[in-house]
Amino acid sequence: MMIKAIIRPERLEFVKQELEKAGINGMTIREVQGRGDQKGITLTYRGGKMNVDFIPKTMVDVVVADEMAEKTTEIIMKAARTGKVGDGRIFIIPVVRSFRIRTGEEVQ
Amino acid sequence: MMIKAIIRPERLEFVKQELEKAGINGMTIREVQGRGDQKGITLTYRGGKMNVDFIPKTMVDVVVADEMAEKTTEIIMKAARTGKVGDGRIFIIPVVRSFRIRTGEEVQ
Amino acid sequence: MMIKAIIRPERLEFVKQELEKAGINGMTIREVQGRGDQKGITLTYRGGKMNVDFIPKTMVDVVVADEMAEKTTEIIMKAARTGKVGDGRIFIIPVVRSFRIRTGEEVQ
Amino acid sequence: MALDSGTTAWLLISTALVMLMTPAVGFFYGGLVRKKNIISMVALSFIVFALVSIQWVLWGYTLAFGPDIGGFIGGLQYLGLEGIGTTSPDAAYPPLLFVAFQLVFATVTMAIVTSGFAERVRLSAFIVFALLWTTLVYDPLAHWAWGGGWAMAFGSLDFAGGTVVHISSGFAALAVALVVGKRAGFGQYTMEPSNIPMTLLGAALLWFGWFGFNAGSALAANDIAATAFLVTNTSAAAGALSWLLASWVRGKPSSLGMVSGAIAGLVAITPAAGFVTIPASIIIGAVAGLICYACLLWRQKSGLDESLDAWSIHGMGGLWGALATGIFAAAAVNGYSGLIEGNVQQFIANAAGAFAALAYAFIVTLILAKVVDMTLGLRVSEEEEYVGLDLSQHGERV
Amino acid sequence: MALDSGTTAWLLISTALVMLMTPAVGFFYGGLVRKKNIISMVALSFIVFALVSIQWVLWGYTLAFGPDIGGFIGGLQYLGLEGIGTTSPDAAYPPLLFVAFQLVFATVTMAIVTSGFAERVRLSAFIVFALLWTTLVYDPLAHWAWGGGWAMAFGSLDFAGGTVVHISSGFAALAVALVVGKRAGFGQYTMEPSNIPMTLLGAALLWFGWFGFNAGSALAANDIAATAFLVTNTSAAAGALSWLLASWVRGKPSSLGMVSGAIAGLVAITPAAGFVTIPASIIIGAVAGLICYACLLWRQKSGLDESLDAWSIHGMGGLWGALATGIFAAAAVNGYSGLIEGNVQQFIANAAGAFAALAYAFIVTLILAKVVDMTLGLRVSEEEEYVGLDLSQHGERV
Amino acid sequence: MALDSGTTAWLLISTALVMLMTPAVGFFYGGLVRKKNIISMVALSFIVFALVSIQWVLWGYTLAFGPDIGGFIGGLQYLGLEGIGTTSPDAAYPPLLFVAFQLVFATVTMAIVTSGFAERVRLSAFIVFALLWTTLVYDPLAHWAWGGGWAMAFGSLDFAGGTVVHISSGFAALAVALVVGKRAGFGQYTMEPSNIPMTLLGAALLWFGWFGFNAGSALAANDIAATAFLVTNTSAAAGALSWLLASWVRGKPSSLGMVSGAIAGLVAITPAAGFVTIPASIIIGAVAGLICYACLLWRQKSGLDESLDAWSIHGMGGLWGALATGIFAAAAVNGYSGLIEGNVQQFIANAAGAFAALAYAFIVTLILAKVVDMTLGLRVSEEEEYVGLDLSQHGERV
Ligand SMILES: Nc1ncnc2c1ncn2[C@@H]1O[C@H](COP(=O)(O)OP(=O)(O)O)[C@@H](O)[C@H]1O
Ligand SMILES: Nc1ncnc2c1ncn2[C@@H]1O[C@H](COP(=O)(O)OP(=O)(O)O)[C@@H](O)[C@H]1O
Ligand SMILES: Nc1ncnc2c1ncn2[C@@H]1O[C@H](COP(=O)(O)OP(=O)(O)O)[C@@H](O)[C@H]1O
């Protein structure tokens, strides 16, 4: 399973640490921009208001064995949470097969 | 379902607007580079020609309930289309489970 | 199937060439950062050591017909391999449906 | 006159300062275009600098500063700088240094014109255009105002190039934009500046270089240079603040607005720098910020794609500056009086000089651009434009 | 005194060099903040430049250099630069040029203070604060040291602004940081510099501009200017190397450490530049690198969010420089002796000048910042801070 | 001779201009390397600047300009600048200013050498190498050409450093590249420049600074300075255009090619700047662009990884410039005749000076690099190279 989490960039450090404690090291990250159901953040200022559509987020892909999926999701969810709007989402996506390029072997 | 659309950057605005009209707000975007079956764009100049392999595109991920997948795809497809080579692709990828980090709740 | 390969940036050229030889042209790439089971690279220096967590990688998405998945994976795996730690991973992810935006047609 | 080492030192460094303005225009513009055209935009400035540097020593200088022919153009006496000695009875600095100082004015003027070509020009045709433009537009205008031409004879004041540099380049950019047409997709989707810090860097270097431009135009290290220096700075500051505040009322006060206002203030004070007082410079700059901002808003609404705004800032700012010089010139500063001190004639002379330069630059540019477009094609193909000029013209990528 | 063209040329270009330092501070700071605040950080410097440029010619100059009132402040005689002539019996340069030269010192000082506001200031309130600060803190301090105030009378030496510029801005930034409080998330997650090359560019331009700052402060193109030039460079180099080495012992030798050390060396030599020998400048710079690095480490450990380190580098570097001037001043250079040559009085005078400036700047800034904060609110809302100041204050994005 | 304030002003600012060239080399090179090594490349220039600044005042200056020992090196009389007074009977500027002016030449030369180390050097070993190189290669060469050494006595002309700065650094970079070997993966995959705008910025600042370099080398604000200024600019422009056109024939005219051509033109005119006419400068620059471009193509084909091309541009451009000085020197400009005016001796003297500098620089650098490599190891580990020098040497990331 691929656990695809979209989190606040500033929570990445925690997420990484917590996953590491659980022995989950492999992951791929990148900067993305996102908006949720609130359509971003609305700022007001003298003379008008302004909607900031897309907020920078970090996307984290962690591929784990199926039986680890739930636990991994739990860990990320807890480590990434601040409780405020914008904490992000986690999607679990099936992985049919998985390989290690260096050795050519199939991983679990 | 995750609707993964690879579109022209300059169509993003339309796609976003059309989705919004249909009440679909959540999405994650990022800049990518792509080439299609035409292997990019070939430019000719005095003394030779030059193939521009990878063209900047915007990748849009929208996760929606399964029953919304088709409609979402339609909307994006229409909004992103210019009719010229390079309009991009849409891939529908299954999402096994989906969570909201802030609340920890599972989304449909 | 979507073949999602995370490779060394400097192998991209080879991967592209090999795929092209096999008639596979369409792909989407982006820069990502990753760490594997070795938790990145550890450098030592006078006075301490330093762990470089995230190493720049290139993520390549190639969507192919299901029967091409294995062959595509093989090609990428061979072209991306250096045999040293950090060569990356390949994940095969199911694609439910696939469209070409320009024409609106569904691809195989 | 004996060579004065202090004057020479000041002219040497002023020339270097103004030289820096040409790449600075490149960075200013480069930050405003889309990512795929940044290199192209900066490269245009460098190319202009190289081209005009050669043109100027070969035939540009003599067209501008050779012996007057009918008030319109200079004669060919100094072709290839033939006969320019190392010292001169009329000047406290080496004549070759004057050539160099004037050279960097010619280059930066041409660089400003690249605004009208942004993100869509074919490099080869641009090079031809640039050579024609600097020869047929810049050189005559420089002659008119500074080389003994009719405007100079008529008493039109242009301290450092309000008409020669700014009106000419601003209205030329407008003419060019009309000829080459809008960028593909203009008006359909937003084309946001892709590197604002680069534009801010360009603005910083422009402001810095402008001290050489204006205070250097005193052609001496004296009190006029000092006045020109300080009014230049004050006008820029006032322009920055007035544009900032005006745009704040309508929305967010952007950093781009602020530096645009600063440039507007710098442009407007340019013809006036050696003639006006400090308080006048605050007014000139503040009004310039407002006028140019209004022109930019009008330009946007009109759907005109002269989107780096050489016209609204240099063209209209220069026009205001030329008129303002005729209004605010104060006898106490440099012996010239303007409208406020009751000298209507000065205002008329300045207005005449400005509008003549405007008309000449606009019309001749229109013709030149049209001719080059019809013969060589000024514009890249649709595919090249889509891919971006960096790749299609230079084979490079940011 | 007759106007000297060489001196005037040097002051003209020195003024331009120092002008460049204000945007350079912006680039230096801009590279140190998170990506969402880069434009804001650079824009603050530009805004400061524009604001103080106008303030200075209207009332700032006269407060600093007008006829002395009680050793504390200048009188209003030169309001709007009224009565500043084009030549002066006391100076070899035009008086207006001195105004311009002093102007750019006032702007860069205010720019350094923006450190304390980084990534969290509301633009409108900042503008009010900046006008108050430059008027109520900078102008008096400039008067004390250079305008005929008590510190000058007391014999406190400050060649180019160690107290006026660096101690004042460094301790002001500290006071500001205490009032506005930590950035949201500070201490919880890392906030890494997002554009180190931009900071390196800022550092290069600062080093470049500092030659105008220090050697220009000789107010003549002579041997004192030459000494000031060379000791400035040597001290900067020594500071860069000492910080580099000290940080190497503890970990990796970062490029940011190196340029921070260079700035520390530049700051420390500023008050001393016209008074000390080359060997002394190496010591002053090297010690500055070590002191400022230690202060930075302490600041980090203390959890204080004055994270662009105006305090540890300008404040503490300036303090060390002011004391070092009292220690190392050598009669052979410029007629003044310091502690090492047995002149205790000089050390006392310098210490008094430094600590008085420190206390005044810190306390008045604390009050000003508090007042502005309570009335207008210095800080943006939590959401604006989260989104970043580029978007929330300027509507722009890198 | 009485101190001349105009000359002093010009030398002060020229020194500042040349100072800026050292970080400018850093930015020029920084943009050419891969993203993971940008900071490292810029940092090397800063480190060089700091190191050589200290070395020069301690022992470098006296080795170069101390009393001649056997035509090869200067004596230790001025160790620590002992005995350099504030005025001098021989010069119109303060002797300390000459020290500073020469200092910035030494730093930029060392900075050019970093080309050969790009993306693979261990910082600690580099520091040792740099100190050795500037002492054992630069200082003697400066003595030969300018400090009273054999080349000067022999009549070899080098106005601003064609041999001392460019041939020496270019061939040193070649030797270094041969010793440290190719970057991992070189020839296997493309290593594209990752920040072309940064390189363009470096080029702009180099061009700007070069006016101080060449026109400042007149050591006076006079007609020779003016000539040097203008031929410098013209040669740069001609080089930019000739490289642009030559590369256009083979493919796309890249912006990097154009600025490389400009640098080639600047390098080639450096030894000739005070001796040749404007038309000659166009030829010198245009030929320099073609020669250096050809050398770069050859270097690429040969598989040599001296990929920032200090050798092909500075080394070969400098060699051409030294010969061209012997060919084009015109008595009308500065009293010296070259081959064209029938003075074979001048050509021989210049060729001798150039090839001697070339051989000395290449061989001694080869030995030095080898020694440092065998003792300390000039090259980082494979893993450090893979991760990049920014992280592995500085702990920083762009
Ligand atoms: N339906 C969705 N599809 C894809 N990504 C989504 C979706 N909904 C939310 N996201 C991602 O999750 C991020 C956080 O969303 P959310 O917690 O709703 O906060 P916000 O409203 O502040 O964006 C978004 O910025 C976006 O990147
Ligand atoms: N098989 C594929 N797998 C992944 N991405 C693809 C594939 N085919 C196309 N794409 C993406 O879609 C984009 C548009 O493709 P296409 O419409 O064929 O136009 P073009 O030939 O101009 O690239 C590509 O740039 C690439 O990002
Ligand atoms: N479990 C995983 N989930 C997602 N991505 C992974 C995973 N494991 C490895 N990767 C990706 O593959 C890349 C290469 O991993 P690997 O070959 O183990 O080398 P390294 O230890 O040097 O990172 C990583 O940098 C990361 O981007």
Side-chain angles (χ1 to χ4, degrees):
Chain A
M1 291 288 173
M2 174 179 286
I3 317 300
K4 191 183 267 297
I6 297 148
I7 63 172
R8 294 177 188 275
E10 62 266 28
R11 303 302 295 182
L12 175 63
E13 198 55 35
F14 301 89
V15 169
K16 200 192 72 185
Q17 276 166 19
E18 294 303 315
L19 286 174
E20 198 166 320
K21 281 188 201 153
I24 302 163
N25 295 316
M27 68 179 73
T28 301
I29 62 169
R30 54 205 173 275
E31 293 174 10
V32 298
Q33 303 205 282
R35 60 182 218 151
D37 296 335
Q38 300 77 15
K39 306 185 210 169
I41 295 180
T42 302
L43 305 171
T44 51
Y45 59 96
R46 215 177 71 82
K49 56 188 187 169
M50 171 193 197
N51 186 46
V52 182
D53 260 49
F54 288 103
I55 311 284
K57 302 279 170 192
T58 296
M59 183 183 278
V60 183
D61 287 356
V62 191
V63 174
V64 291
D66 291 8
E67 58 274 18
M68 289 287 289
E70 194 144 342
K71 192 177 146 206
T72 307
T73 306
E74 289 289 294
I75 293 172
I76 297 177
M77 195 118 68
K78 261 180 69 184
R81 185 177 301 149
T82 68
K84 283 186 249 169
V85 164
D87 273 356
R89 302 285 301 265
I90 295 182
F91 306 120
I92 302 185
I93 289 171
V95 171
V96 182
R97 301 179 69 185
S98 160
F99 299 88
R100 184 177 303 285
I101 293 177
R102 172 161 45 92
T103 56
E105 73 190 314
E106 180 154 1
V107 182
Q108 106 81 311
Chain B
M1 290 288 174
M2 172 178 288
I3 317 300
K4 190 182 269 297
I6 297 148
I7 63 172
R8 294 177 188 276
E10 63 267 26
R11 304 301 296 182
L12 175 62
E13 198 56 32
F14 302 88
V15 169
K16 199 192 72 186
Q17 277 166 17
E18 294 303 315
L19 286 174
E20 198 166 320
K21 283 187 203 156
I24 302 164
N25 294 317
M27 69 180 72
T28 301
I29 63 169
R30 53 206 174 277
E31 292 175 9
V32 299
Q33 303 205 284
R35 60 181 219 151
D37 296 334
Q38 298 80 10
K39 307 185 211 170
I41 295 180
T42 303
L43 306 171
T44 52
Y45 60 96
R46 214 177 71 82
K49 56 188 189 170
M50 172 193 198
N51 186 47
V52 183
D53 259 49
F54 287 104
I55 311 284
K57 300 279 169 190
T58 296
M59 184 183 278
V60 184
D61 288 355
V62 192
V63 175
V64 291
D66 291 6
E67 57 276 18
M68 290 285 289
E70 194 144 343
K71 193 177 145 205
T72 308
T73 307
E74 288 289 294
I75 292 171
I76 297 178
M77 194 118 68
K78 260 179 69 184
R81 186 177 301 149
T82 69
K84 282 185 251 169
V85 163
D87 274 355
R89 301 284 301 266
I90 296 182
F91 306 120
I92 303 185
I93 288 172
V95 171
V96 183
R97 299 179 69 184
S98 161
F99 300 88
R100 186 178 303 283
I101 293 177
R102 172 160 44 93
T103 55
E105 74 190 313
E106 180 154 2
V107 183
Q108 99 97 293
Chain C
M1 290 289 174
M2 174 179 285
I3 318 300
K4 190 182 268 296
I6 297 147
I7 63 172
R8 295 177 188 275
E10 63 267 25
R11 303 302 294 182
L12 174 63
E13 198 55 32
F14 301 88
V15 169
K16 199 192 73 185
Q17 276 166 18
E18 294 303 316
L19 286 174
E20 198 167 319
K21 281 187 204 156
I24 301 164
N25 295 317
M27 68 180 72
T28 301
I29 63 169
R30 55 206 173 276
E31 293 175 9
V32 298
Q33 302 205 284
R35 59 182 219 151
D37 295 334
Q38 298 79 15
K39 308 185 210 169
I41 295 180
T42 302
L43 305 171
T44 52
Y45 60 96
R46 214 177 72 81
K49 56 188 188 169
M50 170 193 199
N51 187 47
V52 182
D53 259 50
F54 287 103
I55 312 283
K57 301 280 170 191
T58 296
M59 184 184 277
V60 184
D61 287 356
V62 191
V63 175
V64 291
D66 291 6
E67 57 274 19
M68 291 285 290
E70 193 145 342
K71 194 177 146 203
T72 307
T73 307
E74 288 288 294
I75 292 171
I76 298 178
M77 194 117 69
K78 260 179 71 184
R81 185 176 301 148
T82 69
K84 282 185 251 168
V85 163
D87 273 355
R89 301 283 302 265
I90 296 182
F91 306 120
I92 303 184
I93 289 171
V95 171
V96 183
R97 300 179 71 185
S98 161
F99 300 87
R100 185 178 305 282
I101 293 176
R102 172 160 47 92
T103 55
E105 73 189 315
E106 179 153 1
V107 182
Q108 98 98 289
Chain D
M1 208 191 286
L3 195 134
D4 178 77
S5 66
T7 290
T8 304
W10 175 232
L11 265 192
L12 284 164
I13 184 59
S14 289
T15 307
L17 287 178
V18 181
M19 174 267 155
L20 194 57
M21 292 174 73
T22 298
V25 168
F27 293 118
F28 190 91
Y29 285 169
L32 293 176
V33 297
R34 285 167 294 169
K35 205 176 159 194
K36 61 186 175 183
N37 296 309
I38 292 180
I39 293 172
S40 149
M41 213 64 227
V42 181
L44 285 182
S45 276
F46 274 91
I47 291 171
V48 156
F49 192 79
L51 276 178
V52 178
S53 283
I54 300 295
Q55 185 269 358
W56 187 252
V57 301
L58 292 183
W59 68 84
Y61 178 76
T62 198
L63 290 181
F65 292 95
D68 180 54
I69 300 181
F72 180 75
I73 193 86
L76 297 180
Q77 185 169 335
Y78 305 132
L79 213 61
L81 302 187
E82 198 52 47
I84 306 280
T86 50
T87 53
S88 143
D90 321 322
Y93 46 81
L96 268 188
L97 184 51
F98 182 73
V99 174
F101 185 63
Q102 291 297 335
L103 182 158
V104 288
F105 280 65
T107 61
V108 74
T109 306
M110 188 71 235
I112 297 167
V113 179
T114 61
S115 166
F117 289 108
E119 312 198 71
R120 53 205 190 276
V121 72
R122 179 193 303 282
L123 183 57
S124 53
F126 171 78
I127 289 177
V128 173
F129 173 86
L131 279 175
L132 290 172
W133 193 89
T134 197
T135 302
L136 300 178
V137 180
Y138 184 83
D139 295 344
L141 288 179
H143 182 76
W144 295 4
W146 298 327
W150 71 265
M152 195 173 172
F154 191 53
S156 183
L157 293 177
D158 185 356
F159 192 73
T163 55
V164 181
V165 175
H166 298 292
I167 291 183
S168 73
S169 61
F171 280 87
L174 179 66
V176 163
L178 291 173
V179 173
V180 298
K182 298 175 193 185
R183 287 168 293 172
F186 180 76
Q188 292 163 37
Y189 45 87
T190 54
M191 300 177 173
E192 290 188 353
S194 62
N195 196 333
I196 292 176
M198 186 186 280
T199 297
L200 297 178
L201 175 64
L205 295 179
L206 282 172
W207 198 326
F208 175 62
W210 225 292
F211 294 122
F213 202 90
N214 284 3
S217 289
L219 297 176
N222 60 10
D223 55 315
I224 299 293
T227 298
F229 196 112
L230 190 52
V231 297
T232 296
N233 192 62
T234 316
S235 179
L241 294 178
S242 75
W243 188 311
L244 190 82
L245 295 178
S247 62
W248 210 332
V249 171
R250 295 176 48 100
K252 293 281 180 195
S254 69
S255 71
L256 289 182
M258 180 180 51
V259 295
S260 299
I263 306 293
L266 289 163
V267 165
I269 200 67
T270 294
F275 305 117
V276 300
T277 63
I278 308 290
S281 74
I282 299 183
I283 299 171
I284 292 174
V287 173
L290 299 179
I291 290 178
C292 296
Y293 180 52
C295 290
L296 181 144
L297 291 178
W298 177 85
R299 199 268 310 149
Q300 282 182 341
K301 235 179 51 192
S302 76
L304 191 66
D305 188 10
E306 207 285 283
S307 298
L308 310 189
D309 284 297
W311 171 73
S312 43
I313 297 175
H314 294 273
M316 294 305 291
L319 184 57
W320 157 242
L323 299 177
T325 306
I327 297 171
F328 292 98
V333 175
N334 203 356
Y336 296 91
S337 287
L339 205 56
I340 284 183
E341 294 185 351
N343 185 359
V344 184
Q345 175 52 31
Q346 187 59 58
F347 182 75
I348 293 172
N350 263 40
F355 283 104
L358 185 164
Y360 181 81
F362 185 73
I363 293 167
V364 179
T365 306
L366 213 53
I367 296 169
L368 279 182
K370 204 78 204 158
V371 168
V372 175
D373 193 34
M374 278 160 39
T375 51
L376 298 170
L378 268 176
R379 193 157 177 159
V380 294
S381 73
E382 205 188 312
E383 290 222 309
E384 288 174 316
E385 190 174 341
Y386 186 72
V387 166
L389 303 196
D390 291 2
L391 269 169
S392 73
Q393 304 301 294
H394 301 284
E396 296 178 312
R397 219 190 268 263
V398 166
Chain E
M1 206 192 286
L3 195 133
D4 178 77
S5 66
T7 289
T8 304
W10 175 232
L11 264 192
L12 283 164
I13 184 59
S14 289
T15 308
L17 287 177
V18 182
M19 173 268 156
L20 195 56
M21 293 174 72
T22 298
V25 168
F27 294 117
F28 191 91
Y29 284 168
L32 293 176
V33 297
R34 286 167 294 171
K35 206 177 157 193
K36 61 186 175 183
N37 296 310
I38 292 179
I39 293 173
S40 148
M41 212 65 229
V42 181
L44 285 182
S45 276
F46 274 91
I47 290 171
V48 156
F49 192 78
L51 275 179
V52 177
S53 283
I54 301 295
Q55 185 269 357
W56 187 253
V57 300
L58 292 183
W59 68 85
Y61 178 76
T62 199
L63 290 181
F65 291 95
D68 181 55
I69 301 181
F72 180 75
I73 193 86
L76 297 181
Q77 183 170 335
Y78 305 133
L79 213 61
L81 300 188
E82 198 51 49
I84 307 279
T86 51
T87 53
S88 142
D90 320 322
Y93 45 82
L96 269 188
L97 184 51
F98 182 73
V99 174
F101 186 63
Q102 290 297 336
L103 182 159
V104 287
F105 279 65
T107 60
V108 74
T109 307
M110 187 71 235
I112 297 167
V113 179
T114 61
S115 166
F117 289 108
E119 312 199 69
R120 52 202 188 279
V121 72
R122 179 194 303 279
L123 183 57
S124 52
F126 171 78
I127 289 177
V128 173
F129 173 86
L131 279 176
L132 290 172
W133 193 89
T134 197
T135 301
L136 300 177
V137 180
Y138 184 83
D139 295 344
L141 288 179
H143 182 76
W144 295 4
W146 298 326
W150 71 265
M152 195 172 172
F154 191 55
S156 183
L157 293 177
D158 185 356
F159 192 71
T163 54
V164 181
V165 174
H166 298 293
I167 291 182
S168 72
S169 60
F171 280 87
L174 180 66
V176 163
L178 290 173
V179 173
V180 297
K182 297 176 192 184
R183 288 168 293 171
F186 181 76
Q188 291 162 38
Y189 45 87
T190 54
M191 300 179 174
E192 290 187 355
S194 62
N195 196 333
I196 292 176
M198 185 186 279
T199 297
L200 297 177
L201 175 64
L205 295 180
L206 282 171
W207 198 325
F208 174 62
W210 225 293
F211 294 122
F213 202 90
N214 284 3
S217 289
L219 298 177
N222 60 9
D223 55 314
I224 298 294
T227 298
F229 195 111
L230 191 51
V231 296
T232 296
N233 192 62
T234 315
S235 179
L241 294 177
S242 75
W243 188 311
L244 190 82
L245 295 177
S247 62
W248 209 331
V249 171
R250 294 176 49 101
K252 293 281 180 195
S254 68
S255 71
L256 290 182
M258 180 181 51
V259 296
S260 299
I263 305 292
L266 289 164
V267 165
I269 200 68
T270 293
F275 306 118
V276 300
T277 64
I278 307 289
S281 74
I282 300 183
I283 299 171
I284 292 174
V287 173
L290 299 179
I291 289 178
C292 296
Y293 179 52
C295 290
L296 182 144
L297 291 178
W298 177 85
R299 199 269 308 149
Q300 283 182 341
K301 235 180 51 192
S302 76
L304 192 66
D305 188 10
E306 207 285 281
S307 298
L308 310 190
D309 284 298
W311 171 74
S312 42
I313 296 175
H314 295 273
M316 293 305 290
L319 183 58
W320 158 242
L323 299 178
T325 306
I327 297 172
F328 292 99
V333 175
N334 202 357
Y336 296 90
S337 287
L339 204 55
I340 283 183
E341 293 184 352
N343 184 358
V344 185
Q345 175 52 31
Q346 187 60 58
F347 182 75
I348 293 172
N350 262 40
F355 283 105
L358 185 164
Y360 181 81
F362 184 73
I363 293 167
V364 179
T365 307
L366 214 53
I367 296 169
L368 281 182
K370 205 76 205 161
V371 168
V372 175
D373 194 34
M374 278 160 39
T375 50
L376 298 171
L378 268 175
R379 193 158 178 158
V380 294
S381 72
E382 205 188 312
E383 291 222 309
E384 287 174 316
E385 189 174 341
Y386 186 71
V387 166
L389 303 197
D390 290 3
L391 269 170
S392 72
Q393 303 302 295
H394 302 284
E396 295 178 314
R397 219 191 268 264
V398 166
Chain F
M1 207 193 286
L3 195 133
D4 178 77
S5 66
T7 290
T8 303
W10 174 233
L11 265 191
L12 284 164
I13 184 60
S14 288
T15 308
L17 287 177
V18 182
M19 173 267 156
L20 194 57
M21 293 174 72
T22 298
V25 167
F27 294 118
F28 191 91
Y29 284 169
L32 294 176
V33 298
R34 286 166 294 171
K35 204 176 159 194
K36 61 185 174 184
N37 296 309
I38 292 179
I39 293 173
S40 148
M41 212 65 228
V42 181
L44 285 182
S45 276
F46 274 91
I47 291 172
V48 156
F49 193 78
L51 275 178
V52 178
S53 283
I54 301 295
Q55 183 270 358
W56 188 252
V57 300
L58 292 183
W59 68 83
Y61 178 76
T62 199
L63 289 181
F65 291 96
D68 180 55
I69 300 181
F72 180 73
I73 193 87
L76 297 181
Q77 184 169 335
Y78 306 131
L79 213 61
L81 301 188
E82 198 52 46
I84 307 279
T86 51
T87 53
S88 142
D90 320 322
Y93 45 82
L96 268 188
L97 183 51
F98 183 73
V99 174
F101 186 62
Q102 291 297 335
L103 181 158
V104 287
F105 279 65
T107 60
V108 73
T109 306
M110 188 71 236
I112 297 167
V113 179
T114 61
S115 167
F117 289 107
E119 314 199 68
R120 51 204 189 278
V121 72
R122 179 193 303 279
L123 183 57
S124 52
F126 171 78
I127 289 176
V128 173
F129 173 86
L131 279 176
L132 290 172
W133 194 89
T134 197
T135 302
L136 300 177
V137 179
Y138 184 82
D139 295 345
L141 288 179
H143 183 76
W144 295 3
W146 297 328
W150 72 266
M152 195 173 174
F154 191 55
S156 182
L157 293 177
D158 185 356
F159 192 71
T163 55
V164 182
V165 174
H166 298 293
I167 291 182
S168 74
S169 60
F171 280 87
L174 180 66
V176 164
L178 291 172
V179 173
V180 297
K182 299 175 191 185
R183 288 168 292 171
F186 181 76
Q188 291 163 38
Y189 46 88
T190 54
M191 300 176 174
E192 290 188 354
S194 61
N195 196 333
I196 292 175
M198 185 186 279
T199 297
L200 297 178
L201 175 64
L205 295 180
L206 282 171
W207 198 324
F208 175 61
W210 224 294
F211 294 123
F213 202 89
N214 285 3
S217 289
L219 298 177
N222 60 9
D223 55 314
I224 299 294
T227 299
F229 195 111
L230 190 52
V231 296
T232 296
N233 191 62
T234 316
S235 179
L241 294 178
S242 75
W243 189 310
L244 190 82
L245 295 177
S247 63
W248 209 334
V249 171
R250 296 177 48 102
K252 293 282 180 196
S254 68
S255 71
L256 289 181
M258 180 181 51
V259 296
S260 299
I263 306 292
L266 289 163
V267 165
I269 200 67
T270 293
F275 306 117
V276 301
T277 63
I278 308 289
S281 74
I282 299 182
I283 299 171
I284 292 174
V287 173
L290 299 178
I291 290 178
C292 296
Y293 179 52
C295 290
L296 181 145
L297 291 178
W298 177 85
R299 199 268 309 150
Q300 282 181 340
K301 237 180 50 193
S302 76
L304 191 66
D305 188 11
E306 206 285 282
S307 298
L308 310 190
D309 283 298
W311 171 74
S312 42
I313 297 175
H314 295 273
M316 294 304 290
L319 183 57
W320 157 242
L323 299 177
T325 306
I327 297 171
F328 292 99
V333 176
N334 202 356
Y336 295 92
S337 287
L339 205 55
I340 285 183
E341 293 184 351
N343 185 358
V344 184
Q345 175 52 30
Q346 187 60 58
F347 183 76
I348 294 173
N350 263 40
F355 283 103
L358 186 163
Y360 181 80
F362 184 73
I363 294 168
V364 179
T365 307
L366 214 52
I367 297 169
L368 280 183
K370 205 75 205 160
V371 168
V372 175
D373 193 35
M374 279 160 36
T375 49
L376 297 171
L378 267 175
R379 194 158 177 157
V380 294
S381 73
E382 207 188 312
E383 291 222 309
E384 288 173 316
E385 189 173 341
Y386 186 70
V387 166
L389 304 196
D390 290 3
L391 268 169
S392 72
Q393 304 301 294
H394 301 284
E396 295 177 313
R397 219 190 268 264
V398 166

